[in-house]
Amino acid sequence: MSRVTLSKLLSAGLMLMGIVHVSATFSPIIASKLEMLDEAGRRAFTYMSLMCGTLLVVGGMVAYMLSDKIKEFGFLRKPYLFVLSTCCVDGLLAVIYMPHNPCAWVILALSIPLLAIHFLHDSKTNAKESK
């Protein structure tokens, strides 16, 4: 499997996890557990949950779109690295704050290989350019 194909699959997985995250924000299970919060707390939780899911959707989408463009357009390497790093931080913090949530581990398992693929490819590209 090529680097681009694997990157696109992992990026699509991040997008899917973001959609699941946003959808779960409004699930009856979560909604009933929020009844103990006051209105401001519920609104804050909803906002943070939606933004976290949106970060995964947008990050996965941008990573998907850029994964096959960074070879052709070198100036996209840093923005691509920023997006991948942000997704990794999201996955890492998800596991730290929700260690019993399997979705947190899936996000981490998708984002770390995506970043590793970029670094491995980038180091090979830099080695070829220096010769």
Side-chain angles (χ1 to χ4, degrees), residues 8-109:
K8 284 187 178 280
L9 283 172
L10 292 169
S11 299
L14 282 176
M15 283 188 283
L16 180 63
M17 290 307 296
I19 291 167
V20 167
H21 197 286
V22 169
S23 301
T25 301
F26 298 109
S27 80
I29 295 169
I30 292 175
S32 66
K33 290 182 181 180
L34 295 179
E35 290 174 354
M36 69 180 115
L37 298 175
D38 62 354
E39 180 63 24
R42 279 193 298 272
R43 293 170 70 100
F45 173 84
T46 302
Y47 168 77
M48 288 183 273
S49 184
L50 290 174
M51 286 301 102
C52 185
T54 302
L55 171 79
L56 291 170
V57 172
V58 172
M61 193 178 302
V62 170
Y64 186 92
M65 290 186 293
L66 294 183
S67 62
D68 59 347
K69 305 288 185 230
I70 57 172
K71 186 174 183 178
E72 186 178 350
F73 303 104
F75 67 91
L76 292 174
R77 283 186 183 148
K78 287 185 181 176
Y80 186 63
L81 177 62
F82 177 76
V83 168
L84 298 181
S85 299
T86 303
C87 290
C88 273
V89 168
D90 186 5
L92 186 61
L93 290 175
V95 167
I96 289 170
Y97 286 101
M98 303 178 294
H100 301 294
N101 185 339
C103 292
W105 290 97
V106 171
I107 293 167
L108 185 64

